[in-house]
């Protein structure tokens, strides 16, 4: 016991495992989501303790903030839109949570298939973990040597957008695929009416909106020399979209679909275009010329940030805005 | 000396957080619990931020700590209001027993 922080770390690790178990075993869906959000916050703290502030920021902004909002939105949809009976059952009683939705028996085949997939993933992770060199030197020295060629000062950004830019491009594509899938699948579902949240909430949103824009842009800009970057900044900027949607200051209309589609592909397109342009100059794709490296990286990050923000906000809204048969639904 | 003052602020902030947690666990209904929780959030965090701000080196760090505190204060007050509002609207009464 040399370091008192060891006790803190042990407590933190125990709490994270306990929260994971609790959020899986609790029966109330709302409690499950809240436990998951707390789990995410403590995980972010654990990443800070592991000296990985970039991962901590991403975990807090995307893994906890945006995912928590998506889960809560899903629950709202399940309780008040899909089922319809939860609202009336919950409004009469004095219990905190609205009545649990009527349990639909899940087919055994689905359960078995899910279990098999989860088992396979766990097995794959175990194989990868056991197969990895246990105490290798890692890539720290290599990255440190190559940093002068990256165009930025922060090693994580250098790795993400220069040394392994191809992987990052694929991550952006995954997000694009997600929003394409959501817009396809949810085409026919009815829109969940956004709850009216009152004067205080509106005032808070008015106060918070400009602050969030500044913080998101700051996170993007500071990524060149300190923890931050496109994914963190994008997730924070997505909160602007969430606030706008929840205050109903912005109501998505069918006419906006073109702009939204453009914003979805903006990041991927800019990323790929830069790679193609660099490759056309007789270099390997993503081998940025050193004098333009910082400009190109910032350009890519800026476009990707915009894409991520719009995509996450669209995922929160859920369904493609379509023309409604009766005009009265979308009125504010 | 500065360290001691900072430690005093952080310690008293922690006391508020512990009191808030006890209140959250022990108070009978949601409104009392919110009452306990917002005190911990508001005053406890302010004291801790004050203590940490005294220990911080540069004006930039102090500014950022102040920013974090003000953002959290506004967000926590709004959240509590939303929770209480929802509880009131969905017909939850304070318990008399």
């Amino acid at each position: 016991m040399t370091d008192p922080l060891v006790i803190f770390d042990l407590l933190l690790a125990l709490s994270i495992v306990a929260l994971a178990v609790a959020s899986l075993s609790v029966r109330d869906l709302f409690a499950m989501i809240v436990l998951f959000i707390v789990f995410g916050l403590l995980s972010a703290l654990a990443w800070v303790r592991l000296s990985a502030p970039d991962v901590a920021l991403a975990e807090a902004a995307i893994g906890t903030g945006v995912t928590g909002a998506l889960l809560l939105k899903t629950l709202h949809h399940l309780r008040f839109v899909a089922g319809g009976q939860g609202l009336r059952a919950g409004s009469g009683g004095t219990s905190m949570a609205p009545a649990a939705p009527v349990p639909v028996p899940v087919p055994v085949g689905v359960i078995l298939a899910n279990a098999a997939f989860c088992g396979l993933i766990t097995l794959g992770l175990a194989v990868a973990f056991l197969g990895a060199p246990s105490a290798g030197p890692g890539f720290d020295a290599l990255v440190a040597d190559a940093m002068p060629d990256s165009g930025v000062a922060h090693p994580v950004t250098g790795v993400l957008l220069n040394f392994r830019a191809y992987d990052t491009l694929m991550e952006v594509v995954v997000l694009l695929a997600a929003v394409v899938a959501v817009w396809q699948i949810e085409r026919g579902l009815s829109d969940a009416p956004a709850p009216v949240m009152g004067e205080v909430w509106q005032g808070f949103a008015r106060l918070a909106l400009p602050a969030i824009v500044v913080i998101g842009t700051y996170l993007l800009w500071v990524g060149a020399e300190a923890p931050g970057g496109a994914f963190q900044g994008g997730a924070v900027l997505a909160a602007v979209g969430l606030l706008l949607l929840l205050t109903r200051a912005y109501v998505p209309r069918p006419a906006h679909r073109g702009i939204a589609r453009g914003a979805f592909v903006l990041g991927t397109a800019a990323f790929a275009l830069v790679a193609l342009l660099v490759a056309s100059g007789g270099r390997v794709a993503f081998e940025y010329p050193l004098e333009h490296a910082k400009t190109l990286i910032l350009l890519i990050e800026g476009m990707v940030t915009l894409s991520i923000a719009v995509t996450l906000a669209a995922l929160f809204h859920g369904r493609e805005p379509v023309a409604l048969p009766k005009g009265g639904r979308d009125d504010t | 000396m500065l360290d001691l003052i900072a430690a005093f602020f952080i310690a008293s902030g922690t006391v508020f957080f512990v009191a808030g947690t006890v209140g959250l666990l022990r108070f009978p209904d949601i409104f009392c619990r919110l009452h306990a929780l917002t005190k911990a959030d508001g005053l406890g965090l302010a004291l801790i931020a004050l203590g940490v701000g005294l220990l911080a080196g540069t004006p930039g760090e102090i500014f950022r700590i102040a920013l974090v505190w003000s953002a959290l204060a506004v967000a926590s007050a709004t959240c509590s209001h939303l929770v209480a509002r929802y509880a009131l609207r969905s017909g939850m009464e304070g318990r008399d027993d």
Side-chain angles (χ1 to χ4, degrees), chain A residues 76-144:
Chain A
H76 178 251
H77 199 88
L78 280 176
R79 280 194 177 156
F80 298 130
V81 181
Q85 71 273 57
L87 182 63
R88 275 165 288 285
S91 60
T94 51
S95 65
M96 169 71 206
V102 183
V104 181
V106 182
V108 183
V110 175
I111 296 178
L112 285 181
N114 267 334
F117 275 125
C118 291
L120 272 178
I121 292 172
T122 314
L123 201 68
L125 284 175
V127 168
F129 179 73
L130 292 176
S134 54
F139 294 108
D140 296 7
L142 285 173
V143 169

Side-chain angles (χ1 to χ4, degrees), chain A residues 26-33 79 97-98 100:
Chain A
V26 75
R27 294 197 61 86
D28 180 43
L29 287 177
F30 180 73
M32 190 183 270
I33 295 172
R79 280 194 177 156

